[in-house]
């Protein structure tokens, strides 16, 4: 099986011609849509690469099929890898050169339309780590995101899924207010470990409400016609910084927790069951009557969490599957559960009682290999 992981790296804007990259992206978009347009003032070798990639449609853009009329199509490029021992792999006409001897990546003619124009960036540690794990970076892409130039690298690796030890790692992904719950079920079918992973909600709420406060003050200034005063500008800057802080914090939290879970799964040679109940979480959040901004924050990066988890499990050859594990149905008698204060669930039929986040783990206990669990 081929596993893939990707990274994006911001390129120095002062060394890139954004208009040129925009044109390359437009050509790529046409190529994806089946047109072949040869432009006289863009180097032929770049255009050859764009059309040469048509066969890979759907496989390149981080494993997703580009939308048909998506204007911002990143430009796929081949790479040449020059390893520490001098060995070379890849296309000799590649415009992206990963040079491990001098620890740099060289981009030829893709950042600006000038003969022999080269942009050099330091080799990211991410690339070195993937190579150490037996990966190879055969493809790169350049493109713009929010008008900033980026380089995307895709590492590929052939993996043999590991043979499960009989341990199961159950990951129940909810909105951040409840967090991600995980449980480890050992080979004798006992819950060996259980813990919810929750970001610091108080910190998130503090940042959110501070930004809301500033927003109100900004509104007042606006109504007084003081929109463009230094005070208003300062407020705007501060609001933006606070919002950015919340998202950066959640992104970082998601990344760290994914890494921890993946390392646990590798260590235990576990099979992973993922229950992604984000739709249910969304509904639950609506019932809680939270401000819509906060609701959005509680769901931010949760999809990415699931995607990162699946990608990294694949990369390390950890078998996993998605499974619906109910949290409101009794795992013993399948009677509807009643929720008590403190998110404790109780079955009025058989007396079963457990914290709500632990119910999915109990369901997973019942899901012995090949057995069918609950409604799917
Ligand atoms: Zn029951």
């Amino acid at each position: 099986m081929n596993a893939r992981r990707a990274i994006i790296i911001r390129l120095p804007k002062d060394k890139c011609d954004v208009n040129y990259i925009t044109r390359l992206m437009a050509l790529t978009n046409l190529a994806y849509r089946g047109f072949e347009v040869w432009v006289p003032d863009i180097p032929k070798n770049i255009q050859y690469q764009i059309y040469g990639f048509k066969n890979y449609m759907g496989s390149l853009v981080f494993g997703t099929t580009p939308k048909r009329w998506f204007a911002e199509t990143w430009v796929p490029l081949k790479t040449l890898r020059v390893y520490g021992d001098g060995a070379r792999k890849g296309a000799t006409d590649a415009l992206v050169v990963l040079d491990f001897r001098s620890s740099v990546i060289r981009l030829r003619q893709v950042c600006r339309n000038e003969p022999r124009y080269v942009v050099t960036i330091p080799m990211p540690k991410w690339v070195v780590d993937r190579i150490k794990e037996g990966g190879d970076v055969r493809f790169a892409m350049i493109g713009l995101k929010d008008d900033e130039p980026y380089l995307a690298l895709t590492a590929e690796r052939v993996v043999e899924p590991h043979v499960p030890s009989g341990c199961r790692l159950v990951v129940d992904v909810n909105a951040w207010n409840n967090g991600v719950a995980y449980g480890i079920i050992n080979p004798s079918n006992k819950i060996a470990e259980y813990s919810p992973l929750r970001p610091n909600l108080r910190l998130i709420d503090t940042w959110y409400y501070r930004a809301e406060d500033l927003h109100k003050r900004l509104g007042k200034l606006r109504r007084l016609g003081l929109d463009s005063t230094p005070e208003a500008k300062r407020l705007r800057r501060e609001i933006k910084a606070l919002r950015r802080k919340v998202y950066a914090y959640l992104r970082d939290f998601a990344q760290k927790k994914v890494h921890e879970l993946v390392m646990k799964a590798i260590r235990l040679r576990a099979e992973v069951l993922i229950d992604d109940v984000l739709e249910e979480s969304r509904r639950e959040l609506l019932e809680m009557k939270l401000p819509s901004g906060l609701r959005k924050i509680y769901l931010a990066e949760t999809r990415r969490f699931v995607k990162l988890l699946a990608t990294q499990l694949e990369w390390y050859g950890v078998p996993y599957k998605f499974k619906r594990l109910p949290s409101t149905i009794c795992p013993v008698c399948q009677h509807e559960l009643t929720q008590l204060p403190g998110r404790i669930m109780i079955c009025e039929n058989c007396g079963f009682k457990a914290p709500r986040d632990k119910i999915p783990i109990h369901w997973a206990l019942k899901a012995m290999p090949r057995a069918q669990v609950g409604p799917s």
Side-chain angles (χ1 to χ4, degrees):
M1 191 186 77
N2 259 347
R4 287 200 181 93
R5 283 178 74 172
I7 188 178
I8 62 171
I9 303 146
R10 194 196 290 237
L11 296 171
K13 202 174 182 178
D14 55 323
K15 290 183 188 153
C16 298
D17 177 354
V18 167
N19 289 330
Y20 176 56
I21 297 176
T22 307
R23 285 191 67 202
L24 291 180
M25 288 171 81
L27 277 183
T28 311
N29 187 24
L30 287 173
Y32 272 124
R33 284 157 49 196
F35 297 101
E36 216 172 293
V37 184
W38 292 84
V39 189
D41 62 331
I42 284 181
K44 274 269 181 317
N45 50 354
I46 296 183
Q47 302 191 54
Y48 276 125
Q49 292 201 17
I50 291 173
Y51 298 113
F53 269 108
K54 270 199 288 194
N55 307 337
Y56 292 98
M57 264 212 267
S59 72
L60 270 173
V61 186
F62 300 145
T64 58
T65 316
K67 289 179 202 123
R68 214 70 183 127
W69 295 93
F70 192 46
E72 306 216 315
T73 313
W74 287 39
V75 186
L77 297 163
K78 290 183 277 190
T79 67
L80 171 69
R81 286 84 69 201
V82 183
Y83 294 102
D85 58 359
R88 286 161 177 265
K89 249 164 113 182
T92 44
D93 64 340
L95 302 164
V96 178
V97 181
L98 280 70
D99 189 343
F100 294 96
R101 287 171 314 180
S102 26
S103 281
V104 292
I105 299 180
R106 273 188 285 274
L107 303 161
R108 298 204 290 237
Q109 266 183 34
V110 286
C111 296
R112 189 170 287 173
N113 195 3
E114 269 171 37
R116 283 180 295 281
Y117 184 79
V118 178
V119 170
T120 305
I121 56 168
M123 180 72 73
K125 185 178 173 289
W126 183 92
V127 174
V128 179
D129 288 347
R130 298 296 83 82
I131 300 292
K132 271 189 204 144
E133 289 163 353
D136 193 4
V137 180
R138 288 165 61 209
F139 304 116
M141 288 194 288
I142 60 150
L144 299 172
K145 210 180 119 192
D146 302 327
D147 241 13
E148 299 281 337
Y150 282 91
L151 171 74
L153 298 171
T154 308
E156 265 190 350
R157 178 185 176 220
V158 181
V159 271
E160 282 294 323
H162 70 210
V163 181
S165 60
C167 264
R168 270 166 298 154
L169 174 65
V170 185
V171 184
D172 184 41
V173 188
N174 302 289
W176 293 122
N177 53 328
N178 295 320
V180 174
Y182 79 86
I184 293 167
I185 299 173
N186 65 20
S188 47
N189 215 32
K190 292 259 154 43
I191 300 178
E193 195 180 321
Y194 158 77
S195 172
L197 307 171
R198 219 168 277 147
N200 188 337
L201 292 174
R202 197 175 294 165
L203 198 61
I204 293 173
D205 287 7
T206 309
W207 287 336
Y208 170 76
Y209 285 110
R210 198 185 295 159
E212 285 299 283
D213 267 358
L214 297 177
H215 197 78
K216 267 182 212 142
R217 267 163 60 192
L218 183 64
K220 258 182 219 153
L221 288 180
R222 201 176 288 148
R223 280 192 297 281
L224 292 170
L226 300 172
D227 257 54
S228 43
T229 55
E231 168 72 356
K233 273 184 198 144
R234 189 186 58 82
L235 283 175
R236 234 175 254 128
R237 244 197 331 269
E238 235 173 280
I239 294 168
K240 210 168 161 191
L242 277 168
R243 292 200 173 136
R244 208 173 273 163
K245 213 150 111 178
V246 172
Y247 286 99
Y249 170 73
L250 284 175
R251 196 155 46 237
D252 190 55
F253 181 83
Q255 217 150 333
K256 282 199 181 118
K257 294 305 159 189
V258 163
H259 182 74
E260 280 173 31
L261 289 172
V262 172
M263 289 303 130
K264 244 184 232 299
I266 295 173
R267 209 168 45 240
L268 297 163
R269 276 196 298 119
E271 183 195 16
V272 179
L273 293 181
I274 306 170
D275 187 9
D276 148 11
V277 275
L278 294 171
E279 268 320 303
E280 204 181 296
S281 294
R282 195 185 297 273
R283 257 177 279 131
E284 217 180 301
L285 281 174
L286 279 170
E287 281 163 24
M288 282 169 71
K289 305 225 182 313
L290 286 171
S292 70
L294 201 53
R295 203 156 57 215
K296 205 172 133 208
I297 288 171
Y298 284 166
L299 283 165
E301 304 291 329
T302 45
R303 289 250 161 262
R304 187 157 167 274
F305 180 94
V306 175
K307 200 172 165 214
L308 273 179
L309 182 61
T311 312
Q312 292 194 19
L313 290 172
E314 262 165 44
W315 179 263
Y316 292 108
V318 180
Y320 73 94
K321 58 187 167 205
F322 286 94
K323 193 133 223 168
R324 250 333 254 114
L325 301 167
S327 58
T328 54
I329 298 169
C330 175
V332 181
C333 70
Q334 310 203 2
H335 192 271
E336 187 84 25
L337 292 169
T338 312
Q339 185 159 334
L340 301 177
R343 283 173 71 79
I344 300 290
M345 303 301 273
I346 190 160
C347 175
E348 282 161 358
N349 188 40
C350 73
F352 172 85
K353 193 174 165 188
R356 177 162 176 158
D357 295 329
K358 209 172 175 178
I359 311 283
I361 324 281
H362 280 279
W363 272 99
L365 266 183
K366 295 182 51 150
M368 287 302 287
R370 270 175 283 278
Q372 194 55 46
V373 190
S376 56

